[in-house]
Amino acid sequence: MRKPDLGNALEVGERVYLREPTNRDQAEIVARNAASRALHRGWVAPPSDAHTFAEWMVRCRQPNVQCFLVCRLDDGAIAGVFTLSQIVRRLFQSAYLGYHAEQPYAGQGYMTEGLKLVLRHTFTTMKLHRVEANIQPENVASIALVKRAGFRLEGFSPRYLKISGRWRDHQRWAMTIDDWRRLRRRPRAPSGGRGPRSPRASSSPGRRRSG
């Protein structure tokens, strides 16, 4: 495992940092996705070989897409992926958020911290106004992740996206910069115990709009 290169970090937290993917990440990402097939099944189809990785990298480099790797500060290991897609400027200033965790790091709080860093980058550096995540109602872990971050449930879209050959219903969760600022001003509740806090990471992605 490579040592963390924080010189390329977009945001740095307590246990993870964000950076953009590069071609050097191919072997690790393909291997982690292979180890995460059961975790991803029915929710997302991330790169599984050199060809699909190359296609994903082309997409990540499009001007209306921003890809983030959630990497552990301990060893630089990739714990998850976030993607802002269909970034629209001018009067809209909005984007769609997708994400997935990677084994063996799912359920250890890395995605929770990673999403906080993504939102900070989205609303401060990128200066977007709104982010929307479209999530299947059965994807309990993914919904829990956005709820922890402060997203609001805005609506329900039946047969919204075709996933694994089936048109699937989705809930629409969103956050604006006003929501984010208000949550940052809210005082933190005092800890009620001495044990470590271990929030559950998302096991599946919030869905972007197809198109």
Side-chain angles (χ1 to χ4, degrees):
M1 193 63 58
R2 72 173 71 92
K3 292 183 179 180
D5 180 7
L6 297 184
N8 294 324
L10 300 173
E11 300 286 344
V12 180
E14 295 180 0
R15 295 200 300 156
V16 301
Y17 65 98
L18 301 180
R19 66 174 177 85
E20 294 180 310
T22 71
N23 290 330
R24 292 177 298 173
D25 296 312
Q26 176 183 310
E28 182 179 357
I29 286 178
V30 169
R32 295 217 183 279
N33 289 335
S36 305
R37 284 195 184 102
L39 184 69
H40 297 160
R41 187 173 297 121
W43 311 120
V44 67
S48 57
D49 54 33
H51 176 69
T52 52
F53 177 83
E55 290 183 334
W56 179 67
M57 285 297 297
V58 169
R59 180 169 178 267
C60 284
R61 289 167 177 157
Q62 293 175 355
N64 64 341
V65 175
Q66 175 66 60
C67 296
F68 304 93
L69 299 182
V70 180
C71 301
R72 304 196 324 158
L73 281 170
D74 286 345
D75 53 13
I78 298 170
V81 176
F82 285 91
T83 304
L84 290 174
S85 64
Q86 298 191 43
I87 301 169
V88 179
R89 295 292 186 175
R90 297 177 67 85
L91 300 180
F92 200 45
Q93 297 294 334
S94 186
Y96 293 89
L97 177 69
Y99 50 89
H100 61 270
E102 301 284 16
Q103 294 289 30
Y105 304 115
Q108 299 180 41
Y110 295 121
M111 293 295 283
T112 296
E113 184 178 354
L115 181 52
K116 291 180 181 178
L117 298 179
V118 168
L119 292 173
R120 185 170 75 190
H121 193 80
T122 297
F123 293 129
T124 59
T125 302
M126 297 178 68
K127 301 186 185 305
L128 291 178
H129 171 72
R130 183 178 178 276
V131 176
E132 179 176 321
N134 297 305
I135 309 172
Q136 296 179 54
E138 301 83 5
N139 194 341
V140 177
S142 189
I143 291 172
L145 177 64
V146 295
K147 288 178 71 174
R148 279 195 299 272
F151 279 62
R152 293 173 288 99
L153 178 61
E154 289 195 338
F156 176 80
S157 298
R159 294 174 56 81
Y160 184 58
L161 290 175
K162 195 172 187 179
I163 309 296
S164 300
R166 289 175 50 200
W167 288 101
R168 301 177 189 257
D169 300 340
H170 281 74
Q171 294 178 355
R172 300 192 310 277
W173 292 81
M175 176 182 285
T176 67
I177 189 170
D178 308 287
D179 300 325
W180 181 74
R181 287 170 175 164
R182 184 166 52 250
L183 290 167
R184 282 170 55 86
R185 290 195 297 266
R186 182 181 300 171
R188 294 184 181 179
S191 175
R194 299 173 62 89
R197 181 172 178 265
S198 180
R200 184 182 178 192
S202 170
S203 63
S204 54
R207 297 291 182 173
R208 64 187 181 276
R209 179 182 292 175
S210 61

